[in-house]
Amino acid sequence: MEASQALTNPTPNPNPNPNPNPNNNYASNRNSILSSTPVWPTIDGPLGLSEDESLSYARRFYKFGYALLPWLWAVNCFYFWPVLRHSRSFPSLRPYVVGSAVGFTVFSAILCSWALTFAIGGEHLFGSIWDQLVMYNVADRLGLTGWS
Amino acid sequence: MAQNQRPKTLLDSLGEEIIRILVPVSICMFLVVLLVSILDSNSSASVTSIAAMAYSETSSDSSWDKFLGALLNSLAFVAVVTVVTFILVLLFYLRCTKFLKIYMAFSSFVVLGFMGGEIALFLIENFSVPIDCITFLVLLFNFAVVGVLAVFMSKMAILVTQGYLILIGMLVAYWFTLLPEWTTWVLLVAMALYDLAAVLLPVGPLRLLVELAMSRDEDIPALVYEARPVIHHDSGLGDNTVQRRVWRARSNFRQDSEDNSNLNGNVVSDSNSTVGTVQSSHNGTRIARVEEEQVSERDAELSAPLIDHGRNAQDGMSAERLMLEGMGLGSSGAIKLGLGDFIFYSVLVGRAAMYDFMTVYACYLAIVAGLGITLMLLAFYQKALPALPVSIALGVLFYFLTRFLLDVFIVQCSLNLVMF
């Protein structure tokens, strides 16, 4: 039956599925005899950017992430995942993507530790200022949930 | 397994594409139902908004008054949407695309930032999450800025863009469910009729917009969800061949002119430039694409049995039109659905969730059936079609049938221990 046939040859014909990384596997399989360098630097494979364009995007995302945007760094790492995964590929892109990964880890470590201290410490640690900082009180005070 | 590739069946090719548009619609509906059932807003928290400006419903009015009030509200809303769409057509005609893009980036920032923040606040208050305002602000800022970047400003991972589009649809749809009940239902029917008129009538604003965009070979700035194109790797033609289906004859598709707060974004241009990128950068890649007036480089390996007859006729075929609030085909062959469709489907299901889950199931099945019918019509007519009317009609019909007939039956059966 056709449907099962399509399922039984994954390698030369990866099923077009919502898996975000079908083309990377395909490229890796194809190049497995050589190095395992992927052809496409982005996670979208041939649907994504070419290597030349990726440089400007990676650089731009890295720089914008300094504006208190760790999530942008994380998205940058996700987008250029093949660059991170294969350590010898795309040498021009690599510093930016690795920088984004490092930045995201550091920032989220700081943010998580602060948020957890706040949540777990609670009133014992902070005293009355906890009530002033916690979000639902702030929302009540400013009437944020009253509009619309 | 054998290297020679048998042509894919209808199940593989068409089924895959339909699934790729059904899954995000279902996810959006599911999220809205989840929000509605968690947040459980009482009817006194009614929304003073542009959609309810003519009449605000109180529970003490008679049915006829409520119906009239709802009708007034919906007519006012449809009028506002028509005016705004005509303004959009005018701006597009005057080539103010920069202004449009900035406006849409701003409006999606408002949606993601303010509406998203407010819903997050509702959830925080509901669950008493001990988050402090600094962390909350940082997270919200990140979320909104990356969302605007992903949807409008730059290319990003397809998953991220699609995810943010679904979130925008979910936020706007949840906001719409806060409207009074009668207004919501009449508004849905009114929007379905408006969609039908605006897309199919020759004087309709959406049709004008599409024709303008096609005559200039530009993209309409619009919020459009584009499903990931199905890529078939034919091993016989070499590794780098990316073949796409031919029944997307056009390189320009546009979508969704929406209500006033949510206009347009250039996902379409992203897909166009994606295709262009793939074409230019990779030697062995051949992409089948049929353009409007001329025959582009085509290699099409047609695998769509529905459009089999059109394989060679597509070359000179006049372009397929894509509809805002409708569906059409992207330049890479993927199906595109306007964000307004996501929103109104989710509003219907969200409103059904406010009654009972039985209506949710019935309306979900009705909407999916309507979407399937619209897709079939799209394949058949090869032009842009409004995606709202069929689904909304079936959804509303099934809601009222379930609520007034099935519900009574099931409840009585359960009470009398006949059937659970």
Side-chain angles (χ1 to χ4, degrees):
Chain A
M1 183 152 137
E2 303 267 13
S4 61
Q5 161 152 24
L7 284 172
T8 48
N9 43 352
T11 310
N13 178 29
N15 264 334
N17 51 10
N19 182 350
N21 221 352
N23 300 295
N24 194 12
N25 291 334
Y26 175 74
S28 305
N29 286 329
R30 184 168 58 82
N31 291 328
S32 59
I33 301 177
L34 319 167
S35 62
S36 59
T37 42
V39 179
W40 302 98
T42 62
I43 205 170
D44 293 329
L47 296 172
L49 300 169
S50 69
E51 186 169 348
D52 314 315
E53 300 173 331
S54 312
L55 185 59
S56 60
Y57 277 95
R59 194 184 320 144
R60 205 175 348 143
F61 288 163
Y62 175 67
K63 292 198 179 143
F64 274 8
Y66 277 109
L68 289 187
L69 289 171
W71 178 234
L72 186 60
W73 276 329
V75 167
N76 196 13
C77 296
F78 174 71
Y79 194 29
F80 293 110
W81 184 249
V83 177
L84 270 187
R85 195 165 157 258
H86 303 272
S87 48
R88 267 168 291 115
S89 57
F90 306 110
S92 52
L93 289 177
R94 218 176 142 73
Y96 296 113
V97 182
V98 172
S100 303
V102 167
F104 170 65
T105 324
V106 167
F107 198 108
S108 59
I110 297 176
L111 198 63
C112 275
S113 56
W114 160 249
L116 283 176
T117 316
F118 188 85
I120 298 178
E123 305 227 16
H124 316 291
L125 202 53
F126 290 94
S128 65
I129 204 155
W130 194 85
D131 280 328
Q132 291 183 14
L133 279 181
V134 77
M135 198 59 210
Y136 40 81
N137 288 345
V138 172
D140 280 338
R141 246 187 309 135
L142 299 178
L144 287 174
T145 50
W147 75 280
S148 116
Chain B
M1 200 60 206
Q3 290 283 20
N4 37 350
Q5 177 70 23
R6 281 197 283 174
K8 290 195 174 241
T9 59
L10 184 62
L11 213 64
D12 294 328
S13 53
L14 190 61
E16 183 72 38
E17 301 225 1
I18 291 182
I19 289 292
R20 285 187 183 180
I21 199 76
L22 269 184
V23 168
V25 172
S26 307
I27 290 177
C28 189
M29 289 199 266
F30 172 71
L31 288 175
V32 172
V33 167
L34 203 63
L35 270 183
V36 163
S37 39
I38 288 178
L39 289 180
D40 207 7
S41 59
N42 45 353
S43 57
S44 66
S46 65
V47 173
T48 49
S49 73
I50 202 163
M53 59 185 178
Y55 163 79
S56 47
E57 181 176 315
T58 60
S59 47
S60 59
D61 292 345
S62 70
S63 296
W64 182 245
D65 281 342
K66 284 193 203 171
F67 180 68
L68 274 185
L71 204 60
L72 271 177
N73 272 340
S74 319
L75 286 178
F77 186 75
V78 169
V80 168
V81 169
T82 317
V83 165
V84 171
T85 316
F86 272 115
I87 293 180
L88 177 68
V89 173
L90 187 66
L91 283 178
F92 191 67
Y93 182 70
L94 297 174
R95 299 178 192 269
C96 308
T97 34
K98 197 94 199 289
F99 172 73
L100 280 175
K101 277 195 88 162
I102 293 178
Y103 172 71
M104 287 187 9
F106 170 70
S107 66
S108 57
F109 184 76
V110 165
V111 168
L112 282 174
F114 287 98
M115 286 194 207
E118 190 161 322
I119 289 180
L121 282 176
F122 284 146
L123 287 170
I124 286 177
E125 285 185 346
N126 208 336
F127 292 115
S128 296
V129 177
I131 194 172
D132 64 307
C133 47
I134 307 169
T135 317
F136 180 76
L137 278 174
V138 168
L139 290 176
L140 190 64
F141 175 66
N142 267 270
F143 176 70
V145 169
V146 177
V148 169
L149 282 180
V151 172
F152 290 116
M153 299 291 190
S154 73
K155 285 178 58 89
M156 228 182 252
I158 291 182
L159 269 182
V160 173
T161 310
Q162 289 177 339
Y164 268 108
L165 283 171
I166 294 179
L167 281 174
I168 292 178
M170 175 194 87
L171 292 175
V172 178
Y174 179 73
W175 185 77
F176 267 110
T177 59
L178 296 177
L179 292 175
E181 183 168 7
W182 286 71
T183 308
T184 317
W185 292 109
V186 181
L187 181 70
L188 280 172
V189 174
M191 284 305 293
L193 291 173
Y194 163 75
D195 197 21
L196 198 61
V199 171
L200 295 178
L201 287 181
V203 78
L206 298 181
R207 187 168 173 147
L208 291 177
L209 200 54
V210 165
E211 284 171 5
L212 257 185
M214 286 205 315
S215 64
R216 287 193 210 162
D217 207 24
E218 271 177 24
D219 294 318
I220 295 186
L223 273 175
V224 171
Y225 182 93
E226 178 172 350
R228 186 186 289 257
V230 175
I231 298 178
H232 307 285
H233 289 279
D234 194 329
S235 53
L237 285 169
D239 293 340
N240 301 323
T241 303
V242 175
Q243 293 173 337
R244 311 261 177 95
R245 301 187 25 202
V246 162
W247 65 305
R248 69 192 166 281
R250 263 295 300 198
S251 42
N252 266 347
F253 296 92
R254 66 256 80 251
Q255 283 308 356
D256 214 281
S257 128
E258 237 232 315
D259 67 273
N260 46 358
S261 65
N262 261 343
L263 293 186
N264 324 307
N266 237 322
V267 180
V268 182
S269 70
D270 285 352
S271 70
N272 270 341
S273 58
T274 304
V275 171
T277 303
V278 178
Q279 264 188 315
S280 58
S281 65
H282 205 96
N283 325 2
T285 305
R286 291 169 288 162
I287 297 180
R289 197 161 56 135
V290 176
E291 289 183 10
E292 187 173 354
E293 271 86 47
Q294 79 254 9
V295 180
S296 67
E297 65 281 27
R298 45 181 311 267
D299 270 329
E301 210 6 75
L302 200 339
S303 51
L306 273 187
I307 322 290
D308 217 56
H309 61 278
R311 185 193 311 214
N312 295 313
Q314 298 251 355
D315 292 348
M317 200 165 117
S318 62
E320 296 165 11
R321 303 173 168 237
L322 257 221
M323 256 349 290
L324 305 174
E325 284 193 1
M327 20 190 8
L329 302 166
S331 56
S332 51
I335 296 182
K336 293 174 126 187
L337 188 61
L339 211 60
D341 299 325
F342 275 79
I343 290 174
F344 286 110
Y345 294 163
S346 308
V347 170
L348 198 152
V349 177
R351 203 18 108 160
M354 287 181 171
Y355 181 70
D356 191 31
F357 279 118
M358 205 184 339
T359 43
V360 169
Y361 304 139
C363 291
Y364 173 73
L365 290 174
I367 288 179
V368 167
L371 192 61
I373 293 176
T374 314
L375 282 172
M376 280 201 290
L377 287 176
L378 177 70
F380 183 67
Y381 280 110
Q382 298 285 326
K383 57 186 274 196
L385 291 177
L388 276 185
V390 180
S391 289
I392 299 282
L394 283 177
V396 171
L397 179 70
F398 272 68
Y399 173 78
F400 285 111
L401 282 179
T402 308
R403 176 171 173 165
F404 294 116
L405 298 181
L406 189 63
D407 194 36
V408 176
F409 173 67
I410 297 273
V411 165
Q412 288 303 317
C413 281
S414 300
L415 284 179
N416 292 310
L417 304 181
V418 170
M419 182 171 79
F420 299 106

